[in-house]
Amino acid sequence: MNPLSTAPSLVIFAGWCAGLSASSRLPAFLAAVAGTLVSASFLLVGTKRFPPGTSLFLPLTLLAVLLPLFALVSRIQAPPCSLGPFQGDAVVLTERSWGRRRAVVLETAAGKLLCLLRPDKAVTEGARVKVRGRLSPLESLFPRREGAFDGARYWRGRGVDSGFESASVEVGEDFRPGFAAWRTTLRKRLLLSLPPLLRGHLLAAWAGEKDPEVEVLHRRWGTAHLLAVSGFHVGLLALTVLWCLQGFRFKLLWSSCLLWGYVFLTGAAPSALRAMVMIQLALVGTAMAGSPSSALNSVAVAGTALLAYNPWLFWDVGWRLSVISVLVLCSFAGGRRTFARGILASLAVWLATAGEASRVFGFVPVAGLAMNLIALPVFSVLLPVASIAALPTLLGVPGGGLLAVGMEGIFETWSFIADGISSILPWKLAYGPLIWVVSAGVVGAAAGRGLGLGREKTVLLSILAVLCGLLFRQP
Amino acid sequence: MDDKKKAVLFLGGGLLCFALVWGIVRGFAGRWPWGTPTGVAGPSWSIRQSMRASEDAIQLAPESQQQAVPEKKAPEKWVIYLTGEVARPGILEISPDSRLYEAVEKAGGLTGKADREGVNLAEKLADGVHAHIPRIGEEKSRLRGAGTGEELLPEGGSRPSPSAGIDINLASAQELETLPGIGPALARQIVEDRTANGPFKSPEDLLRVKGIGQAKMEKLKGMIIVRP
């Protein structure tokens, strides 16, 4: 076994990630060289021997790292060019709170623009508006500080092209039909007809919007990831859709359309896009070859494809946590499914994501370790049941409110249980080099295990991952 | 070559590749003389490009908008003189708006003899200053303005105290009134002038304020600070 024969995309993906990590410190060509060398290192450390006739693949793979990586880093480092005054029609794609302001993404003839408005000037998603203001680089809206959250990268990861300053937004009366407008309608319905806990969970699962009160609860329990649309949600829906479409003609087409529709309705979060690309690969693989491709290779293909589409996704915490989690889970794919194995997988995911999660949020609750073991199976039942229970109320069926109230009671019971478990494990792990090193080591070990490299090579890969983690660690 | 030798060779090659990556990242980070990322893990969008872009935008903007954005030119780089207990003391080029710790980092970090508590590493720098990192037992850190030897920033504070001189680009009208010969009307005119025409680049720029002549400017020169 060697990485090139088991998951060649993982070699490319590792190099791209390393190169992008280096892009804030090095010029494009050096960052590309550094990324390529990390790929080469990963490949050579993980290989005992190349099967005859495959030696040509090594330089080809390294070229596949070097050239696109140079292009990606150059793209990141290139200054934006569309600057100057702008006036015209626009559609509000996203509207959300941003500190003391509202962040609004506008789709215009000059691209996707971000403006920060006063709360009283807020607009609704999907609305047609007339705008007037000045285009500016996103970096001027979010001056960057070392170690601090980088707003410019966050919004670039969501496809925004430029900032829009001194913006005056004149709200029109009509909406453009589309995902943004449908999301607004759905959000209104959910907010006006459902009780708090049910509404908060369905807002997250259906509209990709986090209710602040529900988010506080999940942060405390260490299960905040359940409120971000990710592989968990897309996977649940995929299972449901595939089960419902059994025996249908064009099942692949219908299921793909429905699932992509769901991803866009929830705002196409990077973690949801990653999951959807993976599921699409699995669906196509099953339809064409009779079995899905290697899980580890699929993660890497999905990650690489998304980075090629939008390299700023690399700095999105949701995308990172999603990729890390699924990469670790893939290493546990196959073999007998036992309870002990499930616990080990959960522990490995928690350890692998603890470094990045604590870097961003300052700490990770230890309770999350136990909570995720219980919360994932519980929510895989609760969310579909809650969605069905809320439908009568949302559709205005008389007496439907009773179901919603019953569901609210179930969520309250869950809150009580979760609070109890959290109080048993009240500790928090703060961000530091140790937690970062452990996470990097677990990711390396998971990659080695997933590639089937054997114990010795897996340990070496884990050490290499730790060294990479130390080299590219962000403060 | 047998499989065992090949495996050792691959492992050696892998480690060599990683050593090269380490060397590249550690060796070149923030020290590349051209290209965009020249700061310490700084933004890829450079100040120069940002300023040029803003100027372009201002030129294209309607007149009403141009009035709202005062013209402002910042130097592309600041040059400072760093002495004392750092690995590589001397003249340094740093990014504008840097703080002392960034300059120290660029100079290779503090030496073992540096008085870490006698220096405020978070202190804001300015173009042309002389910063000194004291040795343990030496008097505390000094940060002096270019040429004049005047104290530029007080220790532990970002705004200069009157004894160190008043920064005419930062001071409020009330603070300006504490200067000799500056009354409320003149103080207001100084503030209005810097708002309309951009910051003062030298004490001589005060001459553009109506009511300040050569004699008054010369008198004020030793009591004021001009930071970009």
Side-chain angles (χ1 to χ4, degrees):
Chain A
M1 288 284 186
N2 72 55
L4 211 51
S5 59
T6 320
S9 304
L10 193 62
V11 179
I12 298 172
F13 184 58
W16 282 22
C17 288
L20 288 170
S21 292
S23 68
S24 54
R25 310 183 201 178
L26 299 174
F29 76 92
L30 273 184
V33 169
T36 311
L37 284 170
V38 166
S39 279
S41 177
F42 170 49
L43 190 57
L44 291 171
V45 167
T47 303
K48 272 186 182 159
R49 65 185 181 87
F50 287 104
T54 59
S55 50
L56 187 64
F57 286 105
L58 175 65
L60 283 179
T61 308
L62 296 183
L63 267 183
V65 179
L66 181 72
L67 299 179
L69 183 55
F70 176 70
L72 289 182
V73 179
S74 304
R75 201 173 138 197
I76 287 170
Q77 293 180 350
C81 52
S82 57
L83 298 166
F86 176 78
Q87 185 172 352
D89 293 329
V91 175
V92 180
L93 292 183
T94 306
E95 194 272 341
R96 53 167 291 186
S97 71
W98 192 263
R100 274 181 262 171
R101 296 195 173 192
R102 306 293 300 178
V104 177
V105 178
L106 302 162
E107 190 181 58
T108 67
K112 286 185 188 169
L113 312 178
L114 175 82
C115 59
L116 299 174
L117 297 178
R118 286 196 336 237
D120 59 309
K121 301 275 181 194
V123 286
T124 318
E125 287 180 358
R128 289 184 205 272
V129 291
K130 285 192 186 298
V131 293
R132 188 170 177 277
R134 200 173 63 243
L135 301 177
S136 61
L138 270 176
E139 287 76 1
S140 68
L141 287 183
F142 307 99
R144 197 168 155 216
R145 289 186 201 93
E146 185 67 16
F149 176 74
D150 190 336
R153 276 181 179 161
Y154 173 85
W155 285 108
R156 281 209 191 284
R158 277 158 174 73
V160 174
D161 300 306
S162 315
F164 196 45
E165 289 184 285
S166 318
S168 86
V169 180
E170 198 179 302
V171 184
E173 299 230 326
D174 63 330
F175 282 74
R176 186 184 72 173
F179 290 111
W182 298 337
R183 194 161 51 240
T184 298
T185 312
L186 183 62
R187 184 198 293 163
K188 264 187 200 165
R189 283 261 174 190
L190 290 169
L191 285 171
L192 294 175
S193 23
L194 297 176
L197 287 175
L198 177 60
R199 161 178 92 199
H201 285 94
L202 290 189
L203 263 177
W206 289 13
E209 190 173 304
K210 287 176 187 164
D211 179 293
E213 286 176 20
V214 175
E215 193 181 6
V216 167
L217 291 176
H218 278 274
R219 280 261 167 92
R220 194 163 69 220
W221 304 331
T223 53
H225 58 93
L226 289 173
L227 296 179
V229 179
S230 64
F232 176 71
H233 300 81
V234 185
L236 269 181
L237 186 69
L239 286 176
T240 314
V241 166
L242 289 174
W243 183 75
C244 292
L245 292 180
Q246 270 177 344
F248 270 67
R249 284 183 71 190
F250 306 115
K251 191 169 96 174
L252 174 65
L253 182 69
W254 287 117
S255 52
S256 300
C257 289
L258 282 169
L259 291 172
W260 278 109
Y262 169 71
V263 168
F264 285 113
L265 181 68
T266 53
S271 51
L273 282 175
R274 193 275 312 151
M276 191 53 227
V277 173
M278 264 193 82
I279 287 172
Q280 190 68 73
L281 285 174
L283 288 174
V284 172
T286 310
M288 290 177 73
S291 66
S293 61
S294 142
L296 206 59
N297 203 40
S298 296
V299 183
V301 170
T304 313
L306 286 172
L307 286 182
Y309 165 67
N310 184 344
W312 285 276
L313 284 174
F314 178 71
W315 287 275
D316 187 279
V317 63
W319 183 86
R320 283 186 176 195
L321 293 177
S322 161
V323 169
I324 293 171
S325 311
V326 80
L327 197 136
V328 173
L329 285 174
C330 284
S331 68
F332 285 88
R336 276 182 60 211
R337 289 180 187 176
T338 59
F339 183 65
R341 203 178 154 91
I343 291 181
L344 197 63
S346 181
L347 174 68
V349 169
W350 187 84
L351 283 173
T353 52
E356 179 64 12
S358 62
R359 185 185 70 81
V360 176
F361 303 113
F363 65 88
V364 276
V366 178
L369 194 55
M371 283 298 297
N372 279 300
L373 275 175
I374 311 162
L376 285 174
V378 167
F379 272 81
S380 63
V381 177
L382 265 187
L383 281 182
V385 172
S387 302
I388 295 165
L391 275 179
T393 315
L394 295 174
L395 297 171
V397 176
L402 284 175
L403 271 177
V405 170
M407 207 57 227
E408 181 74 2
I410 295 175
F411 273 115
E412 278 185 4
T413 311
W414 166 253
S415 303
F416 181 73
I417 296 168
D419 274 338
I421 298 170
S422 308
S423 63
I424 299 168
L425 297 166
W427 307 285
K428 290 171 181 173
L429 280 186
Y431 176 63
L434 183 64
I435 195 168
W436 184 259
V437 161
V438 170
S439 292
V442 172
V443 172
R449 193 185 143 90
L451 291 166
L453 295 182
R455 188 172 296 174
E456 194 185 312
K457 288 281 177 190
T458 299
V459 170
L460 284 172
L461 215 56
S462 185
I463 293 170
L464 190 66
V466 167
L467 291 173
C468 279
L470 286 174
L471 183 59
F472 296 117
R473 187 169 88 92
Q474 288 173 274
Chain B
M1 198 186 291
D2 62 17
D3 280 355
K4 201 172 177 184
K5 276 186 182 167
K6 272 185 184 171
V8 172
L9 198 66
F10 286 154
L11 179 62
L15 294 178
L16 182 68
C17 285
F18 185 76
L20 281 172
V21 176
W22 194 282
I24 288 173
V25 175
R26 290 284 172 191
F28 288 97
R31 296 192 178 89
W32 196 246
W34 68 87
T36 26
T38 51
V40 181
S44 55
W45 173 249
S46 76
I47 298 296
R48 178 183 53 184
Q49 285 158 327
S50 175
M51 292 309 298
R52 195 192 299 149
S54 315
E55 283 161 19
D56 291 347
I58 291 164
Q59 281 167 11
L60 287 165
E63 210 173 299
S64 59
Q65 285 180 19
Q66 284 187 28
Q67 284 170 354
V69 186
E71 194 186 339
K72 198 176 177 182
K73 280 185 184 172
E76 182 193 337
K77 277 188 188 292
W78 284 354
V79 179
I80 67 155
Y81 181 39
L82 184 61
T83 56
E85 293 304 318
V86 286
R88 292 189 295 273
I91 300 287
L92 289 177
E93 282 191 348
I94 54 169
S95 309
D97 294 325
S98 291
R99 292 183 185 247
L100 187 53
Y101 77 92
E102 289 168 296
V104 168
E105 208 168 290
K106 196 150 192 187
L110 295 172
T111 66
K113 292 176 187 167
D115 183 359
R116 287 165 190 272
E117 289 177 12
V119 55
N120 177 10
L121 288 172
E123 200 144 26
K124 283 181 178 172
L125 295 176
D127 192 18
V129 298
H130 169 199
H132 181 76
I133 306 295
R135 186 180 298 186
I136 296 168
E138 193 183 330
E139 66 173 288
K140 292 192 173 179
S141 75
R142 297 190 303 269
L143 197 55
R144 294 183 180 283
T148 61
E150 72 206 313
E151 185 116 350
L152 194 68
L153 295 172
E155 200 184 307
S158 59
R159 181 162 285 206
S161 65
S163 61
I166 286 180
D167 188 334
I168 51 173
N169 284 325
L170 288 178
S172 63
Q174 285 84 358
E175 283 170 320
L176 290 169
E177 280 175 42
T178 60
L179 291 166
I182 306 286
L186 206 46
R188 199 174 58 246
Q189 276 190 50
I190 293 172
V191 173
E192 282 170 3
D193 185 278
R194 78 180 181 214
T195 310
N197 302 317
F200 300 104
K201 295 183 192 79
S202 64
E204 285 73 20
D205 277 2
L206 274 179
L207 293 172
R208 72 192 191 200
V209 179
K210 204 176 170 186
I212 298 183
Q214 189 68 33
K216 190 172 272 184
M217 188 273 292
E218 291 294 339
K219 195 176 164 191
L220 291 172
K221 219 171 177 178
M223 301 170 205
I224 58 172
I225 296 165
V226 185
R227 291 171 64 206

